[in-house]
Amino acid sequence: MSLLTDLLNLNLSDSTEKIIAEYIWVGGSGLDLRSKARVIIWLFFRYTRTLSGTEIIYACFQLNIQTLGGPVSDPAKLPKWNYDGSSTNQAPGEDSEVILYPQAIFRDPFRRGNNILVMCDAYTPAGEPIPTNKRHAAAKIFSHPEVAAEEPWYGLEQEYTLLQKDVKWPLGWPVGGFPGPQGPYYCGVGVDKAFGRDIVDAHYKACLYAGINISGINGEVMPGQWEFQVGPSVGISAGDELWVARYILERITEIAGVVLSLDPKPIEGDWNGAGAHTNYSTKSMRHEGGYEIIKKAIEKLGKRHKEHIAAYGEGNERRLTGRHETANIDTFKWGVANRGASIRVGRDTEKEGKGYFEDRRPASNMDPYVVTSMIAETTILWKH
């Protein structure tokens, strides 16, 4: 008799040429992730003939196979698919069909084998992006010749909080009570300091398996809060990778029976909030004389502070109070090694005269397509 785990861990590549593709998209709230799976059939045939004494092998295949028998890697070769947008608050019931366009492919750490995760964006049947499709507008900015020439790099620091399922209270906290004050928890070690490390490490390895450019993890200042970093990633891929990393984390917390929160201030009072600090550089910033380019870019960001804050996540005013390593939401300031600033420039960047800067304003629930493309648009394309 097979156990459920045995069936879940079946290696399909031993018995079928079919693979499972999990299509992922952003739902109607702009933060909720949705997904559904379909089978992709590998149909191919081969024949040989001899030409001038040389045997030549020809292969023809129906769908999305770059090399004979190889894994799927080109999203353009995957079929579009539809879903019921009325059930995700993305379409009316009388005209509910929404079309998914595959945009990025990752290995599936849950089903493994040749199975894949597919990040999609959503369109009407007429081919128009729906209002919650933020990727489409971001892709336009990143494909602009001036932006593409600057090769914008991003490092995204995703903070999040793990909550106990039934009481929605941080993991490791006494129910209805509070742990000791902040201090020992940041990058802490020990059963009374680090809560949920098994989830965090499982997520780390799953992202590496998937092909996400995850670059690190650490415990955060508030107990029960953690961070992972994605990048450096170029252009639109930063948004794709962060969204899929969030999806994988949602799936792992689902398995663990823990709730994932991206609320920027999950616990009121003298506790740190959760952000998504966005590290950024362009080719000009990374070359000699880049520090002057950085300062000009920061000046532009300051002039559009209100527009950026409006797009940097819901509930951010509860986090950006001027306390707990933040600048006040109504004030724009920058500084070297200053974690209480809107924009922080690292000591190494100042010393070397080139490098990157960190925008500390985005909330943990920000849309990475919106934030990354807006920073590029402001610093490269915007004329003031």
Side-chain angles (χ1 to χ4, degrees):
M1 174 67 71
S2 293
L3 298 175
L4 182 60
T5 53
D6 294 333
L7 296 173
L8 286 171
N9 293 326
L10 280 176
N11 184 354
L12 298 179
S13 59
D14 293 339
S15 57
T16 179
E17 291 163 353
K18 297 178 180 180
I19 66 168
I20 301 172
E22 189 79 30
Y23 279 42
I24 304 165
W25 71 97
V26 180
S29 72
L31 185 64
D32 59 311
L33 283 160
R34 308 289 179 125
S35 75
K36 62 176 183 171
R38 68 178 298 165
V39 167
I40 302 293
I41 304 172
W42 295 6
L43 291 179
F44 57 84
F45 62 88
R46 58 191 290 167
Y47 65 92
T48 64
R49 72 183 177 91
T50 301
L51 180 65
S52 300
T54 303
E55 185 179 79
I56 300 191
I57 298 176
Y58 292 82
C60 298
F61 33 93
Q62 179 195 32
L63 276 179
N64 53 31
I65 306 301
Q66 281 193 321
T67 58
L68 193 63
V72 184
S73 59
D74 183 357
K77 293 179 179 178
L78 287 170
K80 296 172 185 174
W81 202 11
N82 67 74
Y83 69 92
D84 172 18
S86 68
S87 296
T88 62
N89 293 317
Q90 292 174 297
E94 64 273 13
D95 186 15
S96 66
E97 191 166 288
V98 182
I99 312 301
L100 294 171
Y101 287 31
Q103 298 292 358
I105 293 174
F106 301 87
R107 291 184 293 274
D108 186 338
F110 303 103
R111 297 187 177 105
R112 298 186 289 279
N114 289 321
N115 303 301
I116 54 175
L117 304 177
V118 185
M119 189 64 205
C120 305
D121 58 355
Y123 297 79
T124 68
E128 296 296 322
I130 66 172
T132 52
N133 179 355
K134 305 303 182 184
R135 190 187 193 280
H136 180 79
K140 280 188 174 181
I141 291 172
F142 285 121
S143 63
H144 190 286
E146 290 182 51
V147 176
E150 283 288 354
E151 297 177 9
W153 289 6
Y154 297 91
L156 304 177
E157 304 176 25
Q158 177 67 71
E159 295 179 343
Y160 60 94
T161 308
L162 299 174
L163 304 178
Q164 301 169 55
K165 182 181 68 171
D166 296 324
V167 294
K168 302 294 177 66
W169 199 238
L171 203 64
W173 291 37
V175 176
F178 297 88
Q182 294 181 158
Y185 309 108
Y186 173 70
C187 297
V189 179
V191 70
D192 57 342
K193 305 176 192 69
F195 309 117
R197 190 184 295 277
D198 54 345
I199 293 170
V200 175
D201 275 350
H203 176 251
Y204 199 5
K205 290 184 177 180
C207 285
L208 287 169
Y209 178 95
I212 292 168
N213 193 23
I214 189 169
S215 48
I217 57 171
N218 61 267
E220 267 304 330
V221 177
M222 189 184 87
Q225 193 177 88
W226 295 83
E227 174 184 299
F228 67 88
Q229 302 95 36
V230 167
S233 302
V234 181
I236 196 71
S237 64
D240 290 335
E241 292 185 19
L242 188 65
W243 272 119
V244 175
R246 286 175 172 177
Y247 173 83
I248 292 172
L249 184 56
E250 285 271 23
R251 289 282 304 276
I252 290 172
T253 54
E254 172 189 321
I255 294 167
V258 171
V259 175
L260 169 65
S261 172
L262 296 182
D263 191 295
K265 186 71 174 179
I267 304 296
E268 296 298 325
D270 196 18
W271 304 97
N272 274 34
H277 304 154
T278 301
N279 299 276
Y280 170 73
S281 72
T282 63
K283 183 186 289 185
S284 298
M285 295 174 190
R286 296 188 292 269
H287 287 175
E288 294 301 321
Y291 195 37
E292 292 305 312
I293 305 297
I294 287 173
K295 288 192 285 187
K296 290 177 182 177
I298 293 172
E299 180 184 358
K300 285 184 174 183
L301 290 169
K303 292 182 182 296
R304 297 189 74 191
H305 178 63
K306 289 184 178 180
E307 292 95 321
H308 279 255
I309 287 294
Y312 273 17
E314 294 296 323
N316 214 8
E317 72 282 351
R318 295 183 284 115
R319 167 180 162 262
L320 296 180
T321 61
R323 300 181 63 213
H324 305 110
E325 301 180 85
T326 70
N328 185 277
I329 195 168
D330 297 318
T331 303
F332 181 88
K333 63 179 181 178
W334 73 278
V336 176
N338 183 358
R339 283 182 163 75
S342 312
I343 305 289
R344 181 185 68 86
V345 175
R347 289 285 183 202
D348 287 345
T349 296
E350 180 189 44
K351 181 179 178 181
E352 296 175 13
K354 59 184 178 181
Y356 71 97
F357 63 84
E358 175 192 41
D359 191 337
R360 296 180 59 80
R361 297 171 295 172
S364 52
N365 60 5
M366 62 85 163
D367 187 323
Y369 294 135
V370 173
V371 169
T372 57
S373 62
M374 194 173 192
I375 291 173
E377 195 272 336
T378 294
T379 60
I380 300 172
L381 299 179
W382 187 60
K383 312 298 181 187
H384 67 95

